[in-house]
Amino acid sequence: MAFNKKDLLGIRELTVEEINTILDTTDSFKEVSARSIKKVPTLRGKTVINLFFESSTRTRTSFELAAKRLSADAINISVSTSSVTKGETLIDTARNIQAMNPDVIVIRHSSSGAPHQLSQLVDASIVNAGDGAHEHPSQALLDAYTIRESKGRINGLQVAIIGDITHSRVARSNAHLLTKLGAHLRIAGPRTLIPPHFEEIIEPAEGSLRVCNSIDEAITDADVVMMLRIQRERMTDAYFPSLKEYAIRFGLTMERLKLARPDAIVMHPGPINRGIEISSEVADNSNSLILEQVTNGVAVRMAILYLLLQSGGVGEINP
């Protein structure tokens, strides 16, 4: 199926067919990263700008590697070294970047909707690399790719997502994506960190979403256990008594993991807080695919850049 999007702003806007197109295209690019020379000329002459207003290790590096492995020119701009520190607005920054004729702008911003605003101001393709607590589409796509690669399917799987749901753009994007592909989601965490009526976030889909009363209820017989980080940098109130109590009530231990199916996989978008949301024993266990998620992230982002520029009419591009 053709992919005709100019931008990747969120999962909610994508159809099942478009999601599967990205996942299927990723297969072609994963092989590139396994070669001794990890580069193809697919996007030679194109320019990708990473515009990050929040800190990032995995996502920014992953997009940079993805662009370079496709032979595009990759430029990184962080807020600490940009004119934003001199008072420049996001709109003026975008217009100045547009004047340099980039082909793709990858943006992470603390405000929900910032990528959507940018997409209306510039001709370049916009990729949302995380906007506030709204969405993080490329993370959800690499999570789905990792699940499909490990389990051979997503439809019908029981997926537990545990942790700080309120501040997690990963949880929102995964809720949209995994239910569209037919997975059944169970959500658990401190009630103070689960938004009211979170079940209603998804649109009618083949899959389903249920908020559970405990982590044990969510994990029991799960095929996938996805742990989320407590985003203390976004918290302005006390959402739970202490980290020690959080670890006891909501942390994933080997004992607790035994409630899931024997072949259950463990995932985490990173960075992980060992001993809080996940024990080191679980994080380093053979069931853990946390580093595989990072590996797949590069291939998924190569597919995203390729498909966006292909649909933008840049001529023949072959993976």
Side-chain angles (χ1 to χ4, degrees):
M1 175 193 170
F3 189 88
N4 296 314
K5 298 281 186 186
K6 168 184 171 284
D7 310 300
L8 177 63
L9 302 177
I11 297 297
R12 188 169 190 166
E13 297 89 346
L14 297 182
T15 65
V16 170
E17 290 74 21
E18 288 167 337
I19 291 168
N20 283 325
T21 296
I22 296 172
L23 300 183
D24 293 343
T25 305
T26 298
D27 287 332
S28 305
F29 290 114
K30 185 162 185 185
E31 182 270 334
V32 173
S33 294
R35 297 179 186 173
S36 57
I37 298 176
K38 304 173 181 61
K39 182 166 280 196
V40 291
T42 309
L43 296 186
R44 181 182 293 156
K46 303 300 176 185
T47 303
V48 176
I49 292 183
N50 292 323
L51 181 60
F52 277 60
F53 291 84
E54 288 186 319
S55 59
S56 170
T57 302
R58 276 158 295 279
T59 304
R60 192 176 73 173
T61 305
S62 186
F63 269 112
E64 183 179 358
L65 269 178
K68 288 181 174 177
R69 288 182 182 174
L70 293 170
S71 299
D73 297 316
I75 310 295
N76 293 320
I77 300 176
S78 62
V79 65
S80 61
T81 57
S82 74
S83 292
V84 172
T85 60
K86 301 173 185 175
E88 188 173 67
T89 65
L90 171 63
I91 292 174
D92 285 332
T93 297
R95 285 173 173 159
N96 277 276
I97 291 174
Q98 175 62 40
M100 302 175 206
N101 294 321
D103 298 285
V104 179
I105 298 174
V106 181
I107 179 172
R108 169 170 288 188
H109 201 281
S110 59
S111 297
S112 299
H116 300 69
Q117 184 181 23
L118 219 60
S119 71
Q120 296 171 10
L121 296 171
V122 301
D123 296 328
S125 292
I126 300 298
V127 177
N128 180 1
D131 61 327
H134 178 226
E135 279 224 41
H136 192 345
S138 64
Q139 179 67 46
L141 286 161
L142 75 89
D143 290 342
Y145 184 83
T146 304
I147 294 171
R148 194 178 77 166
E149 187 179 54
S150 172
K151 296 292 184 183
R153 64 188 172 92
I154 291 175
N155 188 282
L157 292 180
Q158 302 290 330
V159 180
I161 300 181
I162 315 291
D164 179 359
I165 307 298
T166 293
H167 302 99
S168 177
R169 48 201 176 205
V170 175
R172 283 167 179 76
S173 286
N174 267 312
H176 292 305
L177 194 156
L178 295 176
T179 55
K180 284 185 180 193
L181 296 188
H184 302 288
L185 268 57
R186 303 137 167 210
I187 303 294
R191 279 292 175 179
T192 51
L193 289 175
I194 299 178
H197 311 295
F198 190 72
E199 303 93 331
E200 298 172 7
I201 187 176
I202 63 169
E203 297 172 343
E206 193 168 341
S208 62
L209 189 156
R210 174 165 61 92
V211 175
C212 299
N213 292 319
S214 69
I215 179 173
D216 290 358
E217 179 187 342
I219 290 176
T220 298
D221 293 330
D223 299 287
V224 180
V225 181
M226 185 181 298
M227 303 303 294
L228 300 176
R229 182 176 66 88
I230 303 167
Q231 300 191 34
R232 282 179 285 177
E233 73 276 14
R234 300 185 195 279
M235 295 181 182
T236 54
D237 296 309
Y239 289 87
F240 47 86
S242 68
L243 289 177
K244 182 178 179 181
E245 180 170 325
Y246 184 93
I248 292 171
R249 293 194 59 197
F250 301 102
L252 184 62
T253 61
M254 287 302 294
E255 190 62 29
R256 195 164 257 157
L257 185 58
K258 290 177 183 174
L259 294 170
R261 293 184 186 277
D263 61 345
I265 59 174
V266 176
M267 304 175 70
H268 193 303
I272 65 174
N273 291 309
R274 291 173 183 264
I276 301 177
E277 71 263 12
I278 188 169
S279 71
S280 288
E281 196 179 6
V282 174
D284 299 330
N285 188 270
S286 60
N287 291 32
S288 169
L289 297 186
I290 295 171
L291 293 180
E292 192 62 27
Q293 289 175 263
V294 178
T295 300
N296 288 338
V298 177
V300 165
R301 286 159 180 140
M302 289 171 76
I304 291 169
L305 294 175
Y306 162 73
L307 288 168
L308 287 176
L309 289 178
Q310 182 191 54
S311 64
V314 294
E316 290 189 11
I317 306 176
N318 297 308

